[in-house]
Amino acid sequence: MKWTGEYIVNANDIDMNFVVTVSNICRYMQDAAYSQMEADGLSYEALFDRGFAFVLSRMNLSIYAPLYSHDKLEVQSWACESKGVTFSRCYRILRDGAIMAEAVSMWALAGVHDKKLHRVSEFDLPYGMDAMLELDMPARMKIPEGVSFSLVGEHTVGYGDTDMNGHMHNTRYPDMICGFIGGMKGQRVISMALNFVAEAPLGETLKVYHGESDGVHYIRTVRENGSTNIEAEIITEAI
C-alpha cells in the first residue's frame, strides 16, 4: 500500500537552471518515506530510540521531467518485498497526475551502537507494502572497466551535511556530486545511481574522483583512510 502526500516545491529548492535539484527531489521522497513510517505506527525517530537506524545501501533514480518552483506534487513511498539484510523501498513523484520521477532504494537496518546488520526475518515492520518498481536502468550500478578517473576536488563533511548519526546524510550527496561533474549550466540530471559503501562522519575530508565514458559521468569519493565512500553514475541532458 502506497503512502501519498501533497507537496509544494519551495522556491529555494531550484538551481541555476530554475529546476529542482536532485538532492531536493530525494528529500521529497525521503520525507514521504518518513511520513509513511510515522503513519503506519513506527516512526524513524521511534525506531532510532529503540537502537536501530536504516542506512542507505543503493539508490537508482530516474527523473523524467524537470520540476519547477511552486509546482504542486504528489509524492508516494512504499516498502517492497525484502529479504536477507536488504530492506527495499520505492518512490514516485507525480505532477498533475503524470509521473515526474521514480526511484528504487535498498537499505540496511543497523544497530545504532554496535553497527550490527539485522535481517528482515527478525522484524515484523508495520509499513505498507506494494510491488517493486522496474526502472529502465540496471538494478546494480557498476563502473565499466577502462574508465579513467582523475582527482577533481575535495569535500569536507560539515554541520549542514550531517544526519542524526553524525554522518553525511544520503540526500546531500547528489548535489555535491553534480558540483564535481562540471558544466551543469543548461543541463539537468535525468538519471543517477548511487552505491553507498562507507559512511562519512562529521569532519571527514573526501577526495572526489571523476571519470566519463560514452557521455556518462562516474564519481568515486574516497575517505581519508583510503577506502571508498560512494560510487555514482550520472546521466544529464540539455534543458
Side-chain angles (χ1 to χ4, degrees), residues 22-39:
V22 183
S23 280
N24 282 313
I25 288 173
C26 291
R27 289 183 190 115
Y28 301 150
M29 291 177 169
Q30 198 156 117
D31 186 75
Y34 285 3
S35 295
Q36 188 201 29
M37 293 172 72
E38 183 173 4

Side-chain angles (χ1 to χ4, degrees), residues 9-65:
V9 174
N10 191 298
N12 298 317
D13 291 345
I14 62 174
D15 66 6
M16 69 178 79
N17 301 304
F18 299 96
V19 302
V20 176
T21 71
V22 183
S23 280
N24 282 313
I25 288 173
C26 291
R27 289 183 190 115
Y28 301 150
M29 291 177 169
Q30 198 156 117
D31 186 75
Y34 285 3
S35 295
Q36 188 201 29
M37 293 172 72
E38 183 173 4
D40 287 351
L42 184 60
S43 69
Y44 188 89
E45 289 78 8
L47 193 66
F48 189 83
D49 288 343
R50 295 183 186 184
F52 304 101
F54 279 112
V55 179
L56 186 57
S57 175
R58 303 195 311 274
M59 186 170 189
N60 289 349
L61 172 67
S62 292
I63 306 171
Y64 306 122

Side-chain angles (χ1 to χ4, degrees), residues 194-211:
L194 293 156
N195 286 349
F196 293 84
V197 182
E199 295 177 314
L202 177 67
E204 180 99 17
T205 297
L206 303 171
K207 292 186 181 297
V208 184
Y209 294 85
H210 173 255

Side-chain angles (χ1 to χ4, degrees), residues 21-27 29-30 55-63 91 102-107 135 137-143 168-179 181 189 191-198 206 208-209 216-221 228-235:
T21 71
V22 183
S23 280
N24 282 313
I25 288 173
C26 291
R27 289 183 190 115
M29 291 177 169
Q30 198 156 117
V55 179
L56 186 57
S57 175
R58 303 195 311 274
M59 186 170 189
N60 289 349
L61 172 67
S62 292
I63 306 171
Y91 314 84
E102 294 180 308
V104 173
S105 61
M106 305 295 173
W107 301 75
L135 303 183
M137 56 195 304
R140 287 182 177 270
M141 185 273 291
K142 184 177 181 180
I143 298 175
M168 187 162 172
H169 197 284
N170 61 77
T171 63
R172 302 290 180 181
Y173 283 96
D175 284 357
M176 185 268 283
I177 289 168
C178 289
I181 66 175
V189 174
S191 99
M192 182 178 287
L194 293 156
N195 286 349
F196 293 84
V197 182
L206 303 171
V208 184
Y209 294 85
V216 179
H217 296 277
Y218 297 95
I219 289 284
R220 178 179 290 132
T221 58
T228 297
N229 164 234
I230 67 160
E231 293 183 332
E233 175 189 283
I234 309 98
I235 300 175

